[in-house]
Amino acid sequence: MEEINAKGVILRAFDEYRLKSCIDFRPRNEEFYYISVRKLNGCFSYVGRTLSGQQLSIGRFCDSMATVQHEFLHALGFFHEQSRYDRDDHVKILFENVEKGFENNFEKVNKTDSTVSGLPYDYNSVMHYGSEAFSNGKGPTIVTKDPKFQDVIGQRQQLSPIDVKELNRRYKCNSTTAFHMFCSFSNGSMCGMNTCSNTDNDSGWEMVKQAQGGPETDHSTLPTASSKNGTEEGYFMHASTARGEEGKTSRLETKMMEPTRECHVQCLQFYYYHSGNESDILNIWIREFDDQFDSEGTRRLMGQITGPQTSHWRIHHVSLNATKNFQVEFEARTGAGNSSGGFSIDDINLSEIECPHGSLQIDNYMESNNNKSIIYSPRQYTIDGYAYHESALPCPELAPVKIAHPPMDLDSGPCVPRIFGFSPAMVASPALTLLLALMLSMP
Ligand SMILES: [Zn+2]
């Protein structure tokens, strides 16, 4: 299981690179330069393109997202952050606390070789050592000049925004490999989407700040957000099923998108809130177009939401497999019963990667955190039919949670204080949505 987990994590790490940069990874054909990923002793990589076929090791306990991303950043030419030529302006290395024989890990890289790209020193970089790295047990080896960053250095959750910027500058990326669109409807922008309905005098989907019957706010600015004073409440899209008759349909369609990756998989991620009748339906379609003369396109139903109301915004994923230019269409359909609300959607994200195979959403996290017991996801299945649960353990010192995949020991997993998701604009929601993405069924 350990190998399966490592493989899944590595594939997820590749997808994160595809989402955030123009870097792509593919199996080797005849290429002279390549990376051979092995399970050797420890986690390591050479810096840059040094050997024709360099070995990169994802050893035991190295199978976490950020560690894999860290090693691949080395292979992509990155040194450790505290090796920058100007690091003495930002951190102090306490050599008296460094274990004998390991001092060379704290050497500086000269100005011409430093990977700086005109960007500021980044305490939050996934390439920065933690304060106790190579300590002989007599205290920290790195002290930040600004004390508030002392506990920040060494984060191993994800690429920092500056890591991403640096990667994109070094590789001259103008776009990303897999990211297509994100629409938060903030500032009242529809991101080029259109609405229509089959009812006169009712345009169907509307952009609102709150909806009759709920929700009271958009997804990303819930009232208990830590930034509650600074944030303007945002917009979301709402289709009422309280007005109009049974069979009324309201459609919201995205602008045209073009699949660019050969794999022809796309993941649509969005948040929804259902405050209507349980017979109301939200259909998710794609409409594919043969060529520029095809004005109608061909519609295929890809997903459906119906049933009881929700008490919170819920995350939802729909796997798409468009092979031609396509639009996504959200169709709210009024059912038979009485409704005092409708469907709402927010923070739509479309990427050319596989959807997560499992997700676990913890609502009212701040309250549920109090009992500090393990929270289990609904049962998930691997492609071979093995059942498993995802588990999340609240982590008091590093709010909010520690996650573990089944093969991992709960006591050795990383603490994860951020949300896992696809959104490049990472949304910190107080009713914390924790997204666990496992790619167990990938070949
Ligand atoms: Zn390293």
Side-chain angles (χ1 to χ4, degrees):
M1 278 306 267
E2 202 177 289
E3 278 73 20
I4 296 177
N5 191 55
K7 193 162 190 178
V9 169
I10 292 164
L11 294 171
R12 271 273 297 155
F14 288 172
D15 273 347
E16 284 294 311
Y17 275 107
R18 292 184 182 110
L19 285 173
K20 290 173 176 165
S21 75
C22 57
I23 307 285
D24 199 358
F25 298 87
R26 59 174 75 99
R28 179 182 180 226
N29 248 334
E30 303 262 282
E31 287 82 0
F32 182 70
Y33 290 105
Y34 63 94
I35 299 168
S36 165
V37 184
R38 310 292 294 274
K39 187 181 177 187
L40 302 173
N41 194 13
C43 337
F44 59 83
S45 165
Y46 294 91
V47 174
R49 197 167 71 173
T50 53
L51 305 167
S52 84
Q54 79 133 303
Q55 290 192 334
L56 181 152
S57 171
I58 301 300
R60 218 164 159 228
F61 304 128
C62 303
D63 52 347
S64 74
M65 270 288 277
T67 301
V68 172
Q69 288 177 332
H70 176 110
E71 299 313 331
F72 274 92
L73 273 188
H74 280 317
L76 289 163
F78 281 57
F79 291 99
H80 289 136
E81 190 69 5
Q82 79 285 344
S83 300
R84 275 172 65 133
Y85 73 93
D86 60 349
R87 67 111 185 272
D88 295 330
D89 299 339
H90 308 278
V91 295
K92 188 168 163 46
I93 308 296
L94 305 181
F95 281 99
E96 63 273 27
N97 291 345
V98 176
E99 198 178 344
K100 264 213 153 27
F102 291 90
E103 295 84 356
N104 62 341
N105 289 295
F106 295 93
E107 279 170 6
K108 282 190 277 187
V109 176
N110 66 40
K111 192 167 179 177
T112 39
D113 293 337
S114 274
T115 43
V116 170
S117 306
L119 290 161
Y121 193 86
D122 185 14
Y123 292 110
N124 198 31
S125 171
V126 81
M127 300 309 283
H128 206 299
Y129 276 174
S131 58
E132 303 279 335
F134 299 101
S135 169
N136 57 13
K138 293 181 183 151
T141 50
I142 305 177
V143 174
T144 60
K145 295 252 158 138
D146 185 338
K148 72 170 176 288
F149 293 108
Q150 188 64 25
D151 295 329
V152 170
I153 57 171
Q155 71 87 7
R156 291 292 181 271
Q157 284 103 42
Q158 58 186 338
L159 301 174
S160 75
I162 295 180
D163 288 332
V164 172
K165 218 176 215 177
E166 193 172 328
L167 188 63
N168 283 311
R169 276 195 192 174
R170 284 171 66 84
Y171 286 89
K172 299 187 172 54
C173 299
N174 296 318
S175 59
T176 80
T177 307
F179 175 69
H180 264 281
M181 69 94 99
F182 174 67
C183 193
S184 67
F185 305 103
S186 55
N187 312 323
S189 164
M190 293 262 291
C191 313
M193 290 188 214
N194 287 313
T195 59
C196 65
S197 90
N198 64 352
T199 310
D200 297 336
N201 314 321
D202 189 344
S203 62
W205 290 93
E206 317 166 276
M207 190 180 284
V208 295
K209 284 186 171 178
Q210 57 181 191
Q212 184 198 353
E216 286 172 16
T217 65
D218 75 326
H219 164 252
S220 36
T221 48
L222 290 163
T224 48
S226 54
S227 53
K228 92 178 175 198
N229 298 325
T231 325
E232 285 273 299
E233 57 196 275
Y235 290 93
F236 57 91
M237 297 302 293
H238 178 75
S240 170
T241 53
R243 298 191 308 258
E245 295 174 356
E246 184 183 348
K248 181 184 103 173
T249 57
S250 305
R251 297 193 333 227
L252 172 69
E253 63 184 23
T254 65
K255 59 182 189 204
M256 187 96 78
M257 290 177 282
E258 184 188 352
T260 51
R261 292 191 62 203
E262 282 169 23
C263 55
H264 294 145
V265 291
Q266 301 93 24
C267 184
L268 173 70
Q269 173 186 290
F270 61 93
Y271 290 83
Y272 75 95
Y273 195 110
H274 177 25
S275 59
N277 188 279
E278 61 179 35
S279 64
D280 295 342
I281 295 172
L282 179 64
N283 287 321
I284 297 102
W285 302 82
I286 56 170
R287 189 189 291 273
E288 287 179 290
F289 298 87
D290 288 330
D291 50 44
Q292 77 248 44
F293 306 111
D294 179 6
S295 58
E296 280 294 298
T298 309
R299 237 164 52 129
R300 284 191 287 140
L301 184 64
M302 305 306 294
Q304 189 172 77
I305 296 170
T306 185
Q309 296 184 343
T310 53
S311 54
H312 294 89
W313 284 100
R314 310 279 327 162
I315 195 165
H316 194 77
H317 294 100
V318 182
S319 297
L320 311 178
N321 52 7
T323 55
K324 308 167 195 162
N325 287 0
F326 69 104
Q327 293 172 305
V328 174
E329 191 177 291
F330 297 89
E331 180 194 59
R333 181 174 281 270
T334 303
N338 280 332
S339 162
S340 54
F343 280 106
S344 302
I345 56 176
D346 201 3
D347 293 340
I348 302 170
N349 186 324
L350 193 120
S351 302
E352 273 186 280
I353 61 170
E354 278 212 26
C355 280
H357 291 232
S359 69
L360 165 58
Q361 179 166 345
I362 306 165
D363 294 320
N364 283 335
Y365 178 75
M366 292 316 183
E367 286 109 83
S368 60
N369 189 15
N370 289 336
N371 59 14
K372 300 197 172 40
S373 55
I374 298 173
I375 302 160
Y376 290 99
S377 74
R379 188 178 295 219
Q380 314 279 335
Y381 292 94
T382 69
I383 202 162
D384 318 321
Y386 289 105
Y388 65 96
H389 292 286
E390 296 276 12
S391 55
L393 177 66
C395 206
E397 70 281 11
L398 236 185
V401 280
K402 172 164 156 180
I403 59 165
H405 302 311
M408 238 158 80
D409 173 10
L410 269 176
D411 294 326
S412 65
C415 289
V416 180
R418 297 283 288 273
I419 300 158
F420 272 60
F422 299 143
S423 159
M426 207 62 82
V427 183
S429 145
L432 177 87
T433 301
L434 175 71
L435 222 197
L436 303 176
L438 246 201
M439 295 304 225
L440 274 174
S441 65
M442 294 277 288

